[in-house]
């Protein structure tokens, strides 16, 4: 690799690191043309797939030149940084070289805006098209689309990429206006609407015609920057809910704002968003998508922010003790899913197992539920030994004490997701 190309790679990979929306879940692009690679399954760049596979994507910007001046972005035009731009062929060659050396399984490509949206989007599309057609590349491709690009370009992008994303960036319209005055919410909504329609249409077509071309088979996603515009957790998750529902998004990613400037519209330097806030938002996202919670139950005017001390499911349960205790031998799956300490798989196992046996504590332990939490919220076929008529505050304290002592015994390594 030439020195200049190496330098570009350093600059443009570094600039891309602020984007967290690069999961590759749900794509099934087969190696049908004796080409290279096969995007099978799910994954997140530089991390692990749901099935434990480590997936690595080449994650770069095409350029960090940008005509816009979004206050929260290192690439903004007023920022005094080293700039670089790849040619289309350079990105294609890099991807193929890295792929052949087994460094990566796919490409995540985003970009600052050169000249205008269409000019930039055309180049992003060309990279994906060249990889697929000239290089027979069947690995995973995630393209970040450029707000304001034409429907024709969005369509082409969908033909070559596995996943497309349009970043909302800031969760509230007023925040977007303040921090990204060049941007317009309409320029994000329109491509998302178009992608949603095309994804549905091509899925329907493929049921009738086996040879119908794939269109963004891993769907569309978006990212929100958290903590740059003083928004509440309620603002963030209500926006996420609106986008999940309105645009059939596969994922919404929440990325804590990294303070990068002294701009007085932004939180000061040194006030990074705690990782815990991101984690709580992801937990809420899971509760909405897999546990049947409505966003309004978790975050509303009375509770606009998530409790940093306990996870949102436990927090909801403690505020709604009238639902408990739940009898695991008779309750609906939907209600069992609401018990702290019981995950989706365990809830399904409970419903399966109780057909053959009345379940007691031993059965539940074998199924793998976290009894140290669940015991305060359930009854089963064993006598109640530990749960008395505790108040919410007492239960909260017991669970917190137990988590803390577990944390200490595990040398501070444990992070509890939905206990
Ligand atoms: S348009 Fe994108 S790359 Fe350009 S400044 Fe705004 S967020 Fe950064």
């Amino acid at each position: 690799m030439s020195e200049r190309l190496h330098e570009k790679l350093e600059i443009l990979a570094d600039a891309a690191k602020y984007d967290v929306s690069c999961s590759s879940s749900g794509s099934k692009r087969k190696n049908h043309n004796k080409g290279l690679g096969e995007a099978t399954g799910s994954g997140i760049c530089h991390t692990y797939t749901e099935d434990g596979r480590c997936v690595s994507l080449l994650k770069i910007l095409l350029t960090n030149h940008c005509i816009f001046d979004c206050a929260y972005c290192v690439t903004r035009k007023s920022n005094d940084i080293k700039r670089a731009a790849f040619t289309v062929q350079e990105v294609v060659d890099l991807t193929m070289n890295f792929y052949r050396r087994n460094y990566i399984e796919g490409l995540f490509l985003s970009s600052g805006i050169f000249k205008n949206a269409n000019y930039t989007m055309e180049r992003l599309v060309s990279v994906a098209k060249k990889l697929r057609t000239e290089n027979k590349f069947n690995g995973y491709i995630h393209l970040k689309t450029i707000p304001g690009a034409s429907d024709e370009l969005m369509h082409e992008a969908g033909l070559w990429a596995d996943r497309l994303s349009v970043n909302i960036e800031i969760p509230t319209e007023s925040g977007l206006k303040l921090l990204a005055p060049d941007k317009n919410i309409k320029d994000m909504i329109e491509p998302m609407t178009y992608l949603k329609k095309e994804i549905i249409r091509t899925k329907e077509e493929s049921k009738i015609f086996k040879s119908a071309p794939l269109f963004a088979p891993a769907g569309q996603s978006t990212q929100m920057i958290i903590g740059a515009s003083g928004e509440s957790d309620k603002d963030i998750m209500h926006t996420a809910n609106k986008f999940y529902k309105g645009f059939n998004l596969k994922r919404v990613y929440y990325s804590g704002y990294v303070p990068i400037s002294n701009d007085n519209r932004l939180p000061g330097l040194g006030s990074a968003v705690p990782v815990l806030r991101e984690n709580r938002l992801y937990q809420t996202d899971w509760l909405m998508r897999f546990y049947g919670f409505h966003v309004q139950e978790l975050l509303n005017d009375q509770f606009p922010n998530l409790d940093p001390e306990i996870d949102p499911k436990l927090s909801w349960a403690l505020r709604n003790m009238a639902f408990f205790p739940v009898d695991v031998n008779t309750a609906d799956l939907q209600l069992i899913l609401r018990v702290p300490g019981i995950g989706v798989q365990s809830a399904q196992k409970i419903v399966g197992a109780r057909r053959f046996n009345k379940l007691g504590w031993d059965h539940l332990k074998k199924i793998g539920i976290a009894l140290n939490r669940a015991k305060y919220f359930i009854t089963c076929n064993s006598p109640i030994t530990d749960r008395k008529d505790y108040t919410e505050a007492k239960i909260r304290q017991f669970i917190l004490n137990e988590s803390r002592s577990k944390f200490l015994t595990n040398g501070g390594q444990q992070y509890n997701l939905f206990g």
Side-chain angles (χ1 to χ4, degrees):
M1 192 189 301
S2 73
E3 216 171 285
R4 178 57 190 146
L5 191 59
H6 195 269
E7 192 192 15
K8 282 189 196 180
L9 185 58
E10 266 185 10
I11 296 171
L12 296 169
D14 189 65
K17 75 182 178 205
Y18 298 96
D19 200 314
V20 296
S21 56
C22 55
S23 158
S24 61
S25 58
S27 180
K28 290 194 180 67
R29 185 179 295 274
K30 291 286 172 208
N31 189 339
H32 53 79
N33 54 0
K34 297 197 171 67
L36 274 168
E38 180 164 308
T40 51
S42 51
I44 303 170
C45 7
H46 312 296
T47 185
Y48 293 90
T49 59
E50 275 159 329
D51 58 8
R53 209 163 49 93
C54 184
V55 174
S56 45
L57 304 179
L58 172 61
K59 183 178 176 184
I60 48 174
L61 299 191
L62 184 65
T63 181
N64 67 341
H65 287 281
C66 192
I67 56 169
F68 283 4
D69 205 30
C70 309
Y72 48 82
C73 176
V74 275
T75 301
R76 68 191 184 280
K77 73 175 174 202
S78 62
N79 201 15
D80 184 17
I81 50 164
K82 249 190 182 170
R83 306 278 171 175
F86 284 125
T87 64
V88 167
Q89 194 58 45
E90 280 172 342
V91 179
V92 171
D93 292 343
L94 271 177
T95 309
M96 296 309 295
N97 284 339
F98 280 25
Y99 190 84
R100 286 198 180 99
R101 287 172 193 188
N102 267 342
Y103 294 164
I104 55 159
E105 291 171 79
L107 171 69
F108 173 86
L109 185 61
S110 181
S111 185
I113 308 178
F114 284 118
K115 277 195 194 175
N116 58 50
N118 281 345
Y119 183 89
T120 313
M121 191 70 210
E122 237 174 72
R123 272 146 192 79
L124 296 177
V125 170
S126 295
V127 170
K129 185 175 181 181
K130 266 178 179 275
L131 281 168
R132 296 284 190 229
T133 56
E134 293 174 17
N135 296 274
K136 308 278 181 269
F137 178 76
N138 291 311
Y140 181 79
I141 300 178
H142 179 162
L143 287 188
K144 185 57 67 67
T145 67
I146 306 295
S150 71
D151 284 358
E152 290 73 29
L153 284 166
M154 296 301 282
H155 181 78
E156 259 223 271
L159 294 179
W160 310 119
D162 292 279
R163 173 166 288 178
L164 297 172
S165 49
V166 183
N167 280 0
I168 309 166
E169 305 287 11
I170 300 294
T172 59
E173 215 177 324
S174 54
L176 189 73
K177 261 192 197 138
L178 178 73
L179 299 175
D182 305 309
K183 281 188 175 164
N184 185 338
I185 189 78
K186 195 171 116 286
D187 289 340
M188 298 164 201
I189 301 286
E190 281 178 359
M192 280 187 181
T193 311
Y194 177 79
L195 289 177
K196 177 190 162 188
K197 274 200 288 194
E198 282 301 281
I199 290 169
I200 294 174
R201 185 183 66 75
T202 48
K203 256 194 196 141
E204 290 304 311
E205 256 179 34
S206 69
K207 283 185 201 155
I208 306 167
F209 308 109
K210 286 266 169 297
S211 58
L214 288 174
F215 185 89
Q220 62 167 326
S221 60
T222 193
Q223 172 181 278
M224 278 189 268
I225 296 170
I226 302 313
S229 57
E231 70 294 318
S232 66
D233 293 339
K234 173 183 159 243
D235 294 332
I236 296 163
M237 295 316 299
H238 279 245
T239 300
N241 182 54
K242 198 170 83 191
F243 279 88
Y244 273 127
K245 296 247 154 77
F247 303 97
N248 296 357
L249 294 191
K250 279 273 181 182
R251 290 294 305 271
V252 174
Y253 293 90
Y254 310 92
S255 171
Y257 169 65
V258 181
I260 41 136
S261 91
N262 273 323
D263 189 321
N264 60 14
R265 290 170 295 174
L266 288 161
L269 292 172
S271 58
V273 172
V275 175
L276 187 60
R277 184 172 184 204
E278 275 180 38
N279 287 335
R280 293 280 179 250
L281 293 168
Y282 277 112
Q283 288 172 329
T284 309
D285 184 288
W286 273 64
L287 292 179
M288 284 157 43
R289 290 192 297 136
F290 303 115
Y291 287 75
F293 279 87
H294 191 281
V295 64
Q296 185 66 23
E297 295 178 280
L298 301 164
L299 288 159
N300 46 50
D301 290 342
Q302 203 185 346
F303 302 101
N305 287 304
L306 296 164
D307 189 328
E309 278 196 329
I310 55 174
D311 70 72
K313 190 177 179 192
L314 177 58
S315 176
W316 176 85
L318 292 175
R319 296 198 305 264
N320 292 277
M321 288 305 281
F323 283 91
F324 303 104
V326 162
D327 183 345
V328 293
N329 283 301
T330 55
D332 284 350
L333 175 67
Q334 284 309 315
L335 202 48
I336 296 177
L337 281 171
R338 295 193 165 225
V339 175
I342 301 185
V344 174
Q345 279 187 357
S346 304
Q348 284 162 348
K349 279 187 197 165
I350 288 171
V351 172
R354 73 189 184 187
R355 277 194 245 131
F356 308 103
N357 263 318
K358 283 241 174 229
L359 306 180
W361 297 127
D362 287 344
H363 294 111
L364 295 173
K365 216 182 264 173
K366 273 192 203 133
I367 283 173
I369 74 168
L371 276 183
N372 58 332
R373 295 176 167 231
K375 67 185 176 192
Y376 301 104
F377 302 96
I378 55 176
T379 55
C380 60
N381 204 33
S382 304
I384 296 167
T385 51
D386 212 1
R387 184 178 59 74
K388 305 190 181 70
D389 286 329
Y390 293 136
T391 60
E392 295 93 271
K394 258 252 156 14
I395 296 174
R396 180 189 170 102
Q397 208 45 56
F398 282 138
I399 292 177
L400 275 175
N401 290 347
E402 202 162 335
S403 305
R404 278 184 200 127
S405 61
K406 227 182 201 175
F407 184 79
L408 291 175
T409 2
N410 289 344
Q413 296 298 308
Q414 173 165 325
Y415 177 69
N416 201 333
L417 261 181
F418 281 119

